Amino acid sequence: MLDASLAEVDPELAELVEGERRRQLGTLDLVASENVPPRAVLDAQGSVLTAKYADGYPGDRHYDLCEWVDGVETLAIERAKSLFGAEHANVQPYSGSSANMAVLDALCEPGGTVLGWDFEHGGHPTQYLSGTFAGRHYRTASYGVRRDDRLVDMDQVASLVEQLRPKVVFAGWSCYSRWLDFRLFRQICDSVGSYLVVDMAHFAGLVAAGEHPDPVPYADACTMTVHKTLGGARGGTIICREDLAERVDAAVFPGTQGCPLPHVIAAKAVTFLLAASDAFRERIARTVEGARAIAAVLVEAEGRTASPVVTAGTDVHQLTVDLGPSGRLAGDVWARLNRVGISANAMRLAYDVAEAPAGSGLRFGAAALATRGLDAADFSEVGDILADVLDGSFDSAGAASEKALARRVQALLERFPIYRYR
Ligand code: DSN
């Protein structure tokens, strides 16, 4: 059994994996948190490193014969530090959520106060929400975006910080389209001595490529995922100031995790290497350009879709459309997107008019398609397809229109294939 392939040992499972590979090949992926990890990352993540126990950190493990995995983790740490200009990096968090949990464990005693970004306003639940470790172990509150322009309400942040004097303030989002003023967040945190943690799970790749304001000079710590705009290993990473390194490391291991995953850390090392390249910078520039191109087409089409682009555009890799004025639910349009070969997210928005859980929001991201190779003109074609799907008259046009759109999606997929090897 040791040397037999997955297909030989478990054809049933192999068929499911192959089905997902074919699905990825045949879907225009506009899920803002997804990407196309390169083969080198998949090779590392499926390597023999999977077998090794290595609790601890390089040079200080609870297991013997760790010299090779020490080398792997040291490479990942040094590459992460160099990529982000960080004083310290911990590459062991299993995910972005684990990274947030460890940072809270490092910086805040249980029962302490934490201020996060409201989930329906674009934040991540693990920053504060009841039902997550943050909501269970800390006294939490949240801020959001303004009703009129849907930009983050920095007056509300300042007033909540003054009133609650939180130990930790999170800045960073899962669904937002504009840059953040990290200097202002820092000033507000300094006014009461709060730690500033920037959750850059989504925009870490943009920061690495210089396509987004850099939070590192302002934040006490930054958490990130390595598989979204960074486009690589499935997992999290924390970077922080040197004086917090010991606390952050102890909070990751043994505070909140057991053995690190050496195979995933190896895949993170490859990701950080690739993210330091000119090719990566070019791809991220094309990603942002792509999101802007889609947004521009959808803003232009607002007359016929009755679905405004939130904040009327984007500065980052994603944009959100508000179906509220059209009277349609995101879940219905989402199903139509799937039928023509597009994947995206339906979500509730700040001040959502819909009562259904899926709400009125559709989030579109350009990261995976930029990795496939699309350029600005191709992204405009994607925007045109989306505008047709969102068009109110589409309902009466029916199946014929869906077929025509599916053909246009197929033409793009054929021009930009992925995973041609098995
Ligand atoms: N689930 C991720 C996203 O889609 O944004 C955040 O963790």
XYZ file of all heavy atoms in Angstrom, residues 20-88:
537
model
N -13.425 17.482 -8.430
C -13.176 18.856 -8.002
C -12.165 19.530 -8.940
O -12.298 20.711 -9.264
C -12.689 18.883 -6.541
C -12.191 20.229 -6.028
C -13.225 21.365 -6.088
O -14.419 21.112 -6.268
O -12.800 22.540 -5.976
N -11.150 18.752 -9.405
C -10.198 19.337 -10.363
C -10.931 19.773 -11.632
O -10.738 20.886 -12.123
C -9.101 18.327 -10.712
C -7.941 18.913 -11.534
C -6.960 17.839 -11.961
N -7.487 17.029 -13.044
C -7.307 17.287 -14.342
N -6.589 18.330 -14.712
N -7.834 16.509 -15.258
N -11.815 18.928 -12.116
C -12.565 19.278 -13.332
C -13.477 20.471 -13.067
O -13.653 21.331 -13.905
C -13.386 18.072 -13.824
C -12.537 17.012 -14.527
C -13.416 16.048 -15.342
N -14.395 15.380 -14.509
C -14.252 14.171 -13.972
N -13.151 13.478 -14.197
N -15.191 13.640 -13.219
N -14.077 20.516 -11.849
C -14.938 21.659 -11.516
C -14.124 22.953 -11.560
O -14.565 23.965 -12.099
C -15.570 21.486 -10.133
C -16.593 22.582 -9.818
C -16.801 22.806 -8.341
N -15.630 23.300 -7.650
C -15.157 24.552 -7.718
N -15.744 25.443 -8.479
N -14.065 24.913 -7.043
N -12.898 22.906 -11.000
C -12.075 24.114 -10.992
C -11.699 24.519 -12.417
O -11.729 25.700 -12.768
C -10.822 23.909 -10.131
C -11.142 23.801 -8.645
C -9.909 23.665 -7.760
O -8.801 23.972 -8.173
N -10.115 23.205 -6.539
N -11.353 23.511 -13.230
C -11.041 23.805 -14.639
C -12.215 24.471 -15.340
O -12.031 25.368 -16.167
C -10.743 22.490 -15.366
C -9.317 22.149 -15.743
C -8.458 21.988 -14.518
C -9.295 20.857 -16.559
N -13.418 24.030 -15.003
C -14.606 24.454 -15.757
C -15.407 25.553 -15.090
O -16.578 25.730 -15.425
N -14.818 26.260 -14.113
C -15.555 27.325 -13.433
C -14.756 28.614 -13.464
O -13.543 28.620 -13.194
C -15.821 26.948 -11.953
O -16.431 25.673 -11.896
C -16.721 27.971 -11.286
N -15.431 29.701 -13.786
C -14.809 31.022 -13.697
C -14.913 31.450 -12.233
O -15.992 31.796 -11.758
C -15.590 31.980 -14.601
C -14.853 33.115 -15.305
C -13.638 32.642 -16.062
C -15.802 33.852 -16.227
N -13.791 31.387 -11.523
C -13.808 31.529 -10.062
C -13.711 32.996 -9.651
O -12.645 33.606 -9.710
C -12.648 30.723 -9.464
C -12.713 30.698 -7.942
O -13.652 31.287 -7.377
O -11.815 30.081 -7.334
N -14.846 33.529 -9.205
C -14.871 34.917 -8.724
C -15.048 34.968 -7.200
O -15.429 36.005 -6.658
C -16.006 35.682 -9.418
C -15.714 36.045 -10.885
C -16.991 36.416 -11.622
C -14.740 37.210 -10.979
N -14.796 33.842 -6.534
C -14.826 33.860 -5.064
C -13.590 34.633 -4.600
O -12.454 34.254 -4.914
C -14.834 32.425 -4.488
C -14.739 32.463 -2.966
C -16.081 31.684 -4.933
N -13.825 35.712 -3.852
C -12.727 36.643 -3.569
C -11.644 36.054 -2.689
O -10.523 36.566 -2.651
C -13.293 37.908 -2.926
N -11.962 34.967 -1.957
C -10.964 34.385 -1.061
C -10.242 33.203 -1.687
O -9.386 32.599 -1.042
C -11.648 33.959 0.237
O -12.868 33.295 -0.045
N -10.585 32.869 -2.924
C -9.958 31.695 -3.552
C -8.889 32.117 -4.562
O -8.806 33.270 -4.976
C -11.030 30.829 -4.222
C -11.940 30.170 -3.196
C -12.995 29.233 -3.776
O -13.185 29.213 -5.011
O -13.646 28.545 -2.979
N -8.060 31.115 -4.944
C -6.999 31.375 -5.900
C -6.625 30.045 -6.546
O -7.293 29.030 -6.306
C -5.795 32.024 -5.201
C -5.069 32.997 -6.112
O -4.857 32.705 -7.306
N -4.720 34.154 -5.596
N -5.573 30.042 -7.342
C -5.112 28.814 -7.995
C -3.695 28.537 -7.498
O -2.734 29.116 -8.011
C -5.101 28.976 -9.538
C -4.806 27.640 -10.201
C -6.409 29.554 -10.049
N -3.536 27.682 -6.493
C -2.183 27.440 -5.986
C -1.312 26.752 -7.029
O -1.768 25.835 -7.707
C -2.393 26.535 -4.763
C -3.776 26.027 -4.860
C -4.562 26.935 -5.759
N -0.063 27.216 -7.189
C 0.799 26.606 -8.197
C 1.218 25.186 -7.811
O 1.179 24.806 -6.647
C 2.025 27.531 -8.237
C 1.986 28.316 -6.986
C 0.566 28.344 -6.509
N 1.651 24.454 -8.806
C 2.020 23.056 -8.588
C 3.100 22.918 -7.512
O 3.087 21.966 -6.716
C 2.507 22.448 -9.902
C 2.818 21.000 -9.760
C 3.194 20.363 -11.086
N 3.218 18.918 -10.927
C 3.333 18.077 -11.939
N 3.408 18.529 -13.162
N 3.361 16.789 -11.731
N 4.057 23.860 -7.487
C 5.139 23.771 -6.498
C 4.576 23.790 -5.072
O 5.090 23.111 -4.178
C 6.119 24.934 -6.682
N 3.532 24.568 -4.867
C 2.889 24.630 -3.548
C 2.195 23.300 -3.251
O 2.311 22.752 -2.148
C 1.889 25.809 -3.507
C 0.924 25.685 -2.335
C 2.645 27.133 -3.431
N 1.497 22.764 -4.257
C 0.806 21.492 -4.047
C 1.815 20.368 -3.801
O 1.594 19.495 -2.960
C -0.075 21.158 -5.259
C -1.168 22.181 -5.596
C -2.026 21.687 -6.762
C -2.061 22.461 -4.389
N 2.944 20.409 -4.502
C 3.985 19.383 -4.290
C 4.483 19.435 -2.852
O 4.616 18.413 -2.179
C 5.177 19.618 -5.234
C 4.876 19.173 -6.663
O 3.819 18.533 -6.879
O 5.690 19.481 -7.560
N 4.778 20.656 -2.366
C 5.291 20.790 -1.000
C 4.238 20.338 0.010
O 4.540 19.622 0.973
C 5.695 22.245 -0.733
N 2.989 20.726 -0.251
C 1.929 20.431 0.719
C 1.567 18.945 0.732
O 1.006 18.470 1.720
C 0.698 21.300 0.410
C -0.169 21.552 1.619
C -0.991 22.830 1.528
O -0.475 23.865 1.200
N -2.259 22.745 1.834
N 1.924 18.241 -0.317
C 1.665 16.794 -0.341
C 2.929 15.983 -0.148
O 2.979 14.811 -0.521
N 3.955 16.585 0.461
C 5.263 15.925 0.526
C 5.420 15.046 1.764
O 4.567 15.028 2.651
C 6.365 16.991 0.524
O 6.344 17.695 1.748
N 6.567 14.363 1.871
C 6.863 13.474 3.007
C 6.990 14.228 4.331
O 6.986 13.629 5.399
C 8.173 12.690 2.778
C 8.040 11.760 1.582
C 9.364 13.637 2.592
N 7.074 15.544 4.258
C 7.132 16.327 5.500
C 5.885 16.088 6.351
O 5.884 16.312 7.556
C 7.264 17.820 5.173
C 8.575 18.226 4.476
C 8.462 19.636 3.923
C 9.747 18.117 5.422
N 4.811 15.635 5.694
C 3.564 15.286 6.391
C 3.820 14.367 7.585
O 3.101 14.415 8.584
C 2.618 14.559 5.397
O 2.432 15.388 4.256
C 1.274 14.236 6.016
N 4.856 13.537 7.506
C 5.061 12.491 8.516
C 5.720 12.991 9.797
O 5.666 12.322 10.823
C 5.926 11.380 7.910
N 6.334 14.169 9.771
C 7.246 14.524 10.874
C 6.561 15.270 12.012
O 5.856 16.242 11.790
C 8.389 15.405 10.306
C 9.484 15.656 11.307
C 10.333 14.414 11.579
C 11.291 14.603 12.749
N 10.771 14.029 14.009
N 6.820 14.811 13.219
C 6.422 15.573 14.410
C 7.524 16.558 14.763
O 8.715 16.212 14.707
C 6.140 14.636 15.591
C 4.656 14.431 15.774
C 4.031 13.272 15.331
C 3.876 15.428 16.348
C 2.662 13.121 15.468
C 2.508 15.276 16.488
C 1.901 14.125 16.040
O 0.549 13.984 16.167
N 7.152 17.755 15.128
C 8.180 18.775 15.385
C 7.640 19.849 16.326
O 7.897 21.041 16.134
C 8.631 19.396 14.060
N 6.938 19.426 17.386
C 6.403 20.426 18.327
C 7.528 21.344 18.785
O 8.615 20.874 19.143
C 5.813 19.738 19.563
C 4.670 18.790 19.224
O 4.717 18.175 18.152
O 3.756 18.677 20.047
N 7.255 22.635 18.817
C 8.286 23.597 19.195
C 8.643 24.491 18.026
O 7.841 24.683 17.098
N 9.843 25.026 18.083
C 10.318 25.946 17.033
C 11.714 25.529 16.600
O 12.377 24.752 17.313
C 10.298 27.380 17.578
C 8.875 27.894 17.736
C 8.248 27.902 18.980
C 8.142 28.311 16.627
C 6.923 28.331 19.119
C 6.818 28.736 16.761
C 6.220 28.745 17.997
O 4.918 29.151 18.114
N 12.204 26.005 15.453
C 13.523 25.581 14.964
C 14.588 25.693 16.063
O 14.693 26.723 16.717
C 13.804 26.548 13.801
C 12.432 26.890 13.285
C 11.556 26.939 14.518
N 15.333 24.612 16.273
C 16.394 24.602 17.285
C 15.896 24.283 18.681
O 16.699 24.123 19.610
N 14.595 24.186 18.866
C 14.034 23.939 20.200
C 12.750 23.113 20.054
O 11.653 23.613 20.222
C 13.749 25.284 20.891
C 13.218 25.086 22.307
O 13.403 23.984 22.853
O 12.613 26.031 22.850
N 12.951 21.829 19.712
C 11.806 20.950 19.434
C 11.648 19.914 20.545
O 12.614 19.616 21.253
C 12.031 20.194 18.109
C 12.323 21.071 16.903
C 11.068 21.700 16.347
N 11.375 22.306 15.041
C 10.504 23.004 14.332
N 9.277 23.209 14.781
N 10.852 23.518 13.177
N 10.470 19.324 20.615
C 10.226 18.246 21.570
C 10.518 16.886 20.944
O 10.259 15.863 21.559
C 8.784 18.266 22.046
C 8.402 19.517 22.791
N 7.330 19.576 23.630
C 8.967 20.753 22.818
C 7.230 20.807 24.149
N 8.210 21.530 23.648
N 10.966 16.874 19.702
C 11.253 15.628 18.978
C 12.662 15.712 18.413
O 13.190 16.816 18.204
C 10.242 15.401 17.847
C 8.861 15.081 18.372
C 8.031 16.088 18.831
C 8.407 13.767 18.453
C 6.775 15.809 19.358
C 7.152 13.469 18.973
C 6.343 14.498 19.424
O 5.109 14.219 19.946
N 13.250 14.545 18.139
C 14.619 14.556 17.608
C 14.613 14.574 16.076
O 13.557 14.485 15.441
C 15.424 13.359 18.149
C 14.816 12.025 17.723
O 13.815 12.025 16.972
O 15.333 10.992 18.150
N 15.804 14.714 15.542
C 16.027 14.634 14.085
C 15.151 15.624 13.300
O 14.505 15.276 12.309
C 15.813 13.198 13.586
C 16.712 12.145 14.274
C 16.426 10.763 13.737
C 18.194 12.489 14.087
N 15.115 16.830 13.811
C 14.285 17.865 13.167
C 15.105 18.792 12.264
O 14.619 19.863 11.890
C 13.556 18.697 14.224
S 12.177 17.818 14.971
N 16.342 18.388 11.929
C 17.167 19.350 11.201
C 16.570 19.761 9.857
O 16.675 20.906 9.442
C 18.617 18.852 11.029
C 18.774 17.552 10.267
C 18.758 16.321 11.176
O 18.012 16.335 12.183
O 19.473 15.354 10.876
N 15.890 18.812 9.176
C 15.338 19.156 7.860
C 14.114 20.056 8.007
O 13.970 21.044 7.290
C 14.993 17.887 7.064
C 16.216 17.064 6.797
C 16.561 15.891 7.394
C 17.294 17.400 5.912
N 17.788 15.454 6.929
C 18.254 16.359 6.010
C 17.562 18.456 5.034
C 19.438 16.354 5.275
C 18.736 18.449 4.296
C 19.657 17.416 4.425
N 13.254 19.719 8.965
C 12.072 20.580 9.131
C 12.457 21.910 9.775
O 11.790 22.927 9.549
C 10.906 19.900 9.894
C 10.336 18.751 9.102
C 11.302 19.476 11.275
N 13.538 21.918 10.568
C 14.045 23.209 11.063
C 14.442 24.095 9.875
O 14.150 25.301 9.841
C 15.280 23.011 11.955
C 14.899 22.682 13.401
O 13.698 22.520 13.677
O 15.813 22.579 14.239
N 15.109 23.474 8.906
C 15.514 24.224 7.711
C 14.301 24.763 6.969
O 14.279 25.928 6.534
N 13.282 23.928 6.847
C 12.053 24.329 6.142
C 11.405 25.522 6.859
O 11.057 26.542 6.238
C 11.063 23.137 6.090
C 9.680 23.595 5.658
C 11.583 22.048 5.167
N 11.250 25.395 8.175
C 10.527 26.458 8.908
C 11.351 27.743 8.947
O 10.800 28.852 8.837
C 10.186 25.991 10.334
C 9.318 27.007 11.059
C 8.604 26.445 12.284
O 8.552 25.215 12.470
O 8.090 27.272 13.072
N 12.682 27.592 9.082
C 13.525 28.789 9.093
C 13.428 29.534 7.756
O 13.349 30.768 7.716
C 14.995 28.406 9.398
O 15.007 27.728 10.659
C 15.892 29.617 9.471
N 13.416 28.758 6.667
C 13.253 29.390 5.339
C 11.932 30.160 5.261
O 11.894 31.316 4.806
C 13.215 28.318 4.258
C 14.404 28.087 3.356
C 13.994 27.130 2.229
C 14.964 29.374 2.780
N 10.863 29.503 5.725
C 9.542 30.152 5.661
C 9.534 31.423 6.499
O 9.021 32.466 6.066
C 8.453 29.183 6.130
N 10.103 31.354 7.705
C 10.120 32.529 8.596
C 10.913 33.669 7.946
O 10.453 34.819 7.880
C 10.751 32.158 9.962
C 9.814 31.227 10.738
C 11.084 33.404 10.783
C 10.452 30.592 11.975
N 12.107 33.354 7.477
C 12.963 34.414 6.902
C 12.324 35.027 5.657
O 12.396 36.231 5.434
C 14.364 33.858 6.589
C 15.181 33.516 7.834
C 15.212 34.652 8.870
O 15.374 35.819 8.471
O 15.045 34.364 10.072
N 11.691 34.173 4.843
C 11.043 34.697 3.626
C 9.837 35.569 3.981
O 9.595 36.595 3.339
C 10.624 33.537 2.718
C 11.825 32.892 2.039
C 11.407 31.667 1.253
N 12.563 31.046 0.603
C 12.509 29.898 -0.056
N 11.369 29.230 -0.152
N 13.589 29.402 -0.629
N 9.075 35.164 4.998
C 7.918 35.976 5.406
C 8.402 37.325 5.941
O 7.837 38.381 5.605
C 7.092 35.245 6.461
N 9.441 37.305 6.781
C 9.967 38.565 7.336
C 10.440 39.483 6.223
O 10.176 40.688 6.209
C 11.116 38.271 8.307
C 10.645 37.762 9.660
C 11.751 37.125 10.481
C 12.876 38.079 10.807
N 13.919 37.412 11.635
N 11.169 38.899 5.285
C 11.728 39.709 4.199
C 10.613 40.258 3.290
O 10.625 41.431 2.902
C 12.721 38.834 3.431
O 12.934 39.337 2.171
N 9.623 39.426 2.994
C 8.537 39.847 2.092
C 7.772 41.032 2.663
O 7.413 41.959 1.933
C 7.572 38.662 1.886
C 6.447 38.850 0.877
C 6.999 39.045 -0.528
C 5.496 37.632 0.901
N 7.529 41.004 3.975
C 6.693 42.047 4.583
C 7.501 43.074 5.375
O 6.921 43.974 5.973
C 5.633 41.406 5.496
C 4.618 40.592 4.731
C 4.666 39.210 4.742
C 3.637 41.217 3.981
C 3.746 38.458 4.022
C 2.710 40.484 3.255
C 2.763 39.098 3.276
N 8.828 42.953 5.384
C 9.643 43.875 6.180
C 9.278 43.778 7.656
O 9.222 44.782 8.369
N 9.034 42.554 8.129
C 8.570 42.351 9.508
C 9.731 41.990 10.431
O 10.713 41.386 10.000
C 7.530 41.238 9.537
N 9.585 42.341 11.711
C 10.634 42.015 12.679
C 10.568 40.541 13.075
O 11.584 39.925 13.386
C 10.476 42.901 13.931
C 10.769 44.375 13.635
C 10.510 45.281 14.831
O 10.250 44.790 15.947
O 10.561 46.513 14.636
N 9.349 39.984 13.100
C 9.194 38.588 13.529
C 8.060 37.936 12.747
O 7.085 38.601 12.396
C 8.877 38.539 15.030
C 8.716 37.136 15.544
N 9.782 36.270 15.693
C 7.602 36.426 15.917
C 9.335 35.102 16.147
N 8.027 35.169 16.283
